[in-house]
Amino acid sequence: KNEVEQSPQNLTAQEGEFITINCSYSVGISALHWLQQHPGGGIVSLFMLSSGKKKHGRLIATINIQEKHSSLHITASHPRDSAVYICAVRNVGAGGTSYGKLTFGQGTILTVHP
Amino acid sequence: EAQVTQNPRYLITVTGKKLTVTCSQNMNHEYMSWYRQDPGLGLRQIYYSMNVEVTDKGDVPEGYKVSRKEKRNFPLILESPSPNQTSLYFCASSWGSAYNEQFFGPGTRLTVL
């Protein structure tokens, strides 16, 4: 079982729909990142979360540390949101080390049709 | 413009021929890291560096070397490339550690024949 699991793996939506992508993890973490990979391959950081909720434009990210789960929501989806969305966790090692380690989910391929 | 650059962007080479992929950032970031991305496996961390002369292994370090002699540069060295190192490679940097927002380079597509 992977340490970081995303669901769904593939998601198709119609323009305007509300979208949710989920990320569950099994390790202790100090931070969770949501990334977006464009069809051309470039990767940009969307959010870093250590608790609670963050919002940027039509994107909302939440995290529940106790349940080891995070969600990325896209409101009023648009074809330009079509991309791969990746969550990544910053592990906390057994001794509180590994400050530099990141473990990634498999990614969710989102396609938004006009 | 704040950016992470990688060179080359595309490389086709043969088994056993040593190569270096360069990574440079102009944001004075302490943290730099290398990842590879493979279909079905996603992104995996190869090595990371918390600062000059401080490097550590990620999840898939075998077959790779790194060095961090200057803050802005973090080259990835494949001393004897093999076909299983054919992949898309990304370099990233951030303030402090992996806790903070990651800035990614454009990627290097490597093919080892």
Side-chain angles (χ1 to χ4, degrees):
Chain A
K1 189 181 190 303
N2 294 330
E3 291 182 342
V4 183
E5 296 272 359
Q6 285 185 237
S7 62
Q9 290 188 339
N10 286 279
L11 182 55
T12 301
Q14 289 298 125
E15 184 173 356
E17 287 184 357
F18 181 85
I19 287 163
T20 296
I21 299 170
N22 297 298
C23 177
S24 297
Y25 51 91
S26 58
V27 296
I29 73 166
S30 58
L32 183 144
H33 298 265
W34 280 103
L35 310 171
Q36 180 191 55
Q37 185 168 25
H38 300 295
I43 300 174
V44 296
S45 178
L46 298 175
F47 295 104
M48 189 287 292
L49 295 161
S50 57
S51 64
K53 177 179 175 179
K54 287 189 176 179
K55 184 176 189 291
H56 186 260
R58 295 180 295 105
L59 301 178
I60 303 166
T62 63
I63 189 168
N64 186 317
I65 297 292
Q66 286 73 29
E67 294 186 4
K68 296 187 175 179
H69 181 268
S70 176
S71 293
L72 176 68
H73 305 287
I74 305 175
T75 62
S77 59
H78 189 276
R80 65 174 174 266
D81 296 325
S82 297
V84 179
Y85 292 84
I86 303 166
C87 71
V89 300
R90 181 199 183 217
N91 298 20
V92 175
T97 56
S98 305
Y99 297 124
K101 289 200 73 175
L102 280 177
T103 303
F104 297 82
Q106 300 270 46
T108 294
I109 303 171
L110 172 65
T111 304
V112 182
H113 293 294
Chain B
E1 180 192 354
Q3 59 182 350
V4 179
T5 57
Q6 293 179 227
N7 283 291
R9 295 288 312 280
Y10 303 90
L11 179 61
I12 301 174
T13 189
V14 296
T15 299
K17 187 177 180 182
K18 181 179 179 180
L19 67 93
T20 299
V21 184
T22 64
C23 174
S24 182
Q25 49 93 8
N26 62 0
M27 295 167 278
N28 202 36
H29 286 165
E30 291 83 8
Y31 178 87
M32 298 185 75
S33 186
W34 276 103
Y35 308 97
R36 60 178 290 174
Q37 187 176 38
D38 302 289
L41 296 175
L43 283 159
R44 294 177 292 168
Q45 191 173 39
I46 303 171
Y47 271 97
Y48 62 92
S49 170
M50 300 294 285
N51 214 323
V52 175
E53 304 290 1
V54 181
T55 62
D56 208 345
K57 296 177 182 178
D59 291 322
V60 289
E62 296 79 19
Y64 304 95
K65 282 178 60 176
V66 293
S67 67
R68 186 94 181 272
K69 293 184 170 55
E70 304 167 284
K71 199 172 187 181
R72 63 183 293 126
N73 296 322
F74 190 44
L76 180 70
I77 303 157
L78 286 73
E79 299 229 324
S80 184
S82 62
N84 64 14
Q85 293 178 297
T86 292
S87 188
L88 179 58
Y89 291 85
F90 289 97
C91 177
S93 70
S94 69
W95 297 110
S97 71
Y99 184 89
N100 296 310
E101 178 183 3
Q102 301 290 298
F103 292 82
F104 284 81
T108 294
R109 187 165 293 280
L110 172 65
T111 301
V112 183
L113 301 174

